[in-house]
Amino acid sequence: MKVRYFDHAATTPVREEVLKEMLPYFEVEYGNASSMYVLGRRAKKAMDIARQRVANSIGAKPREIYFTSCGSESDNLAIKGIMRANRLKGKHMITSKIEHPAVLHTCQALEKEGYQVTYLNVDSDGMISLEELERAITKETVMISIMFANNEIGTIQPIRAIGKIAKKHQIFFHTDSVQAIGNVRINVEELNIDLLSMSAHKFYGPKGVGALYAKDGVPFDKIQDGGHQERDKRAGTENVAEIVGLGKAIELSYRDFETYNKKLIELREYYFKRIVQEIENVKINGHKTLRLPGNANVSFPGIEGEELLFKLDQRGICASSGSACSTGAQNPSHVLLAIGLHQELSQGTLRTTFGENNTKEDVDYLVDSLKEIIQNKKDQ
Ligand SMILES: *Cc1c(COP(=O)(O)O)cnc(C)c1O
């Protein structure tokens, strides 16, 4: 059976060019980047190139990029790092109710340490309110952490406006951009972003490597003790091969940005058009226009998400209900609850996220399968 993959928000395949650049660092170029001899220098040089590529892609300086082991670690380092380093200024931060667990659970961990966190509401499109954000700011507020784009419903937040508010009040602004990198053009200077998290496996790079951008002079504590790697912010021998892969993957993402973006929007709109016309009572979740190009999140009444996924899987279709992280859990997704979907509807929700290898024929197969599954359910 042919496998059709519609879960690019969970992870993406590694591009061939990315893999090719990585391979020598598993084979002959195995030096430790901290070593002074030739193999070490070559590993260091490869990392410098990757750092430059990441910096170029977001309008940053290479010395503002710190490599980590994943998006989750970048979020932890940004949030715990900033809050602990600035605890004398205050112990309050602001985030939203629809963040990825890597942010939400980090904030909850800080609450246990005595920090205060405000979790902003979102409207039915998944947008935060700028007024509510400004009202939440106090003299104690050190940081705002709001995701660039949501991993479940694709909604893109008003990042420029949030950056302005943060700057006006002299508060640090971190954004989890794991879903946005490669899908949205980002310039950290223009958007007043102080810290930004990314993860290579969400933009056709390898799993297990991420990066944190932290603007020059922004004070943050390390969260892992050990050697002095990454300018003493992240202990541990650098994962050279994967860092090389991250650098190549981000460069390719922005090189082919226009065609990639256009392709995903076409697939998504074609999918929306067909399901709205051919299946009764579907509900599209997330913002109509301010959303990730490849994200489609749809509620189908009368069927549970898990059952839908199971029957799609039998037809070779890989998709997701809620988010990958909450699959298997009984609770409905915190994101769908926050946008006001009641439990029943949020359980019949399917997230399909399109990618560069998907075709219109794949989408037709998906829609035809959905129609069949839903019709069979009705006939039961
Ligand atoms: C995937 C994801 C993460 C976590 O990244 P990992 O590299 O898998 O740890 C964090 N935030 C968002 C929005 C994500 O989609």
Side-chain angles (χ1 to χ4, degrees), residues 109-313:
L110 282 177
E111 284 183 288
K112 286 192 193 128
E113 288 178 27
Y115 292 86
Q116 286 98 44
V117 183
T118 301
Y119 300 88
L120 299 177
N121 293 303
V122 293
D123 65 16
S124 56
D125 291 331
M127 285 284 178
I128 66 148
S129 145
L130 295 170
E131 290 77 48
E132 193 189 343
L133 169 62
E134 267 207 287
R135 273 201 308 275
I137 296 172
T138 70
K139 283 202 294 291
E140 284 270 306
T141 311
V142 167
M143 153 152 93
I144 299 169
S145 179
I146 303 281
M147 70 200 318
F148 209 112
N150 186 266
N151 46 304
E152 292 189 39
I153 55 173
T155 299
I156 297 172
Q157 298 297 336
I159 295 297
R160 185 180 297 272
I162 299 169
K164 275 196 188 136
I165 291 172
K167 192 173 183 178
K168 185 172 110 189
H169 294 272
Q170 294 186 305
I171 298 168
F172 298 117
F173 175 32
H174 165 250
T175 180
D176 174 339
S177 301
V178 174
Q179 289 293 334
I181 292 287
N183 288 309
V184 183
R185 282 207 187 280
I186 298 177
N187 183 301
V188 288
E189 281 295 322
E190 281 173 18
L191 297 174
N192 283 317
I193 295 169
D194 296 305
L195 302 109
L196 174 150
S197 305
M198 67 176 76
S199 178
H201 77 101
K202 303 287 176 75
F203 50 86
Y204 303 92
K207 291 166 189 62
V209 63
L212 176 68
Y213 153 79
K215 194 187 177 81
D216 256 346
V218 167
F220 65 101
D221 283 359
K222 58 187 166 188
I223 55 172
Q224 174 160 302
D225 296 301
H228 301 296
Q229 289 91 352
E230 295 300 287
R231 278 140 294 138
D232 207 17
K233 292 298 190 192
R234 203 275 175 180
T237 301
E238 300 89 340
N239 190 349
V240 180
E242 297 226 347
I243 289 169
V244 166
L246 185 151
K248 187 63 183 176
I250 198 167
E251 183 186 68
L252 293 179
S253 289
Y254 285 105
R255 188 190 71 189
D256 302 334
F257 184 80
E258 311 302 339
T259 35
Y260 178 70
N261 224 264
K262 191 161 162 276
K263 179 185 169 148
L264 294 198
I265 291 174
E266 275 169 16
L267 288 174
R268 182 193 76 198
E269 290 305 309
Y270 178 64
Y271 171 69
F272 281 162
K273 189 165 156 246
R274 274 205 66 190
I275 55 165
V276 166
Q277 281 177 359
E278 299 174 40
I279 305 176
E280 272 176 21
N281 296 326
V282 299
K283 182 179 181 308
I284 295 172
N285 302 311
H287 198 281
K288 290 280 166 296
T289 51
L290 299 172
R291 73 185 298 136
L292 290 171
N295 173 289
N297 187 303
V298 178
S299 298
F300 298 93
I303 187 157
E304 289 219 348
E306 294 305 307
E307 185 180 351
L308 195 53
L309 282 187
F310 177 74
K311 295 202 162 139
L312 288 171
D313 185 32

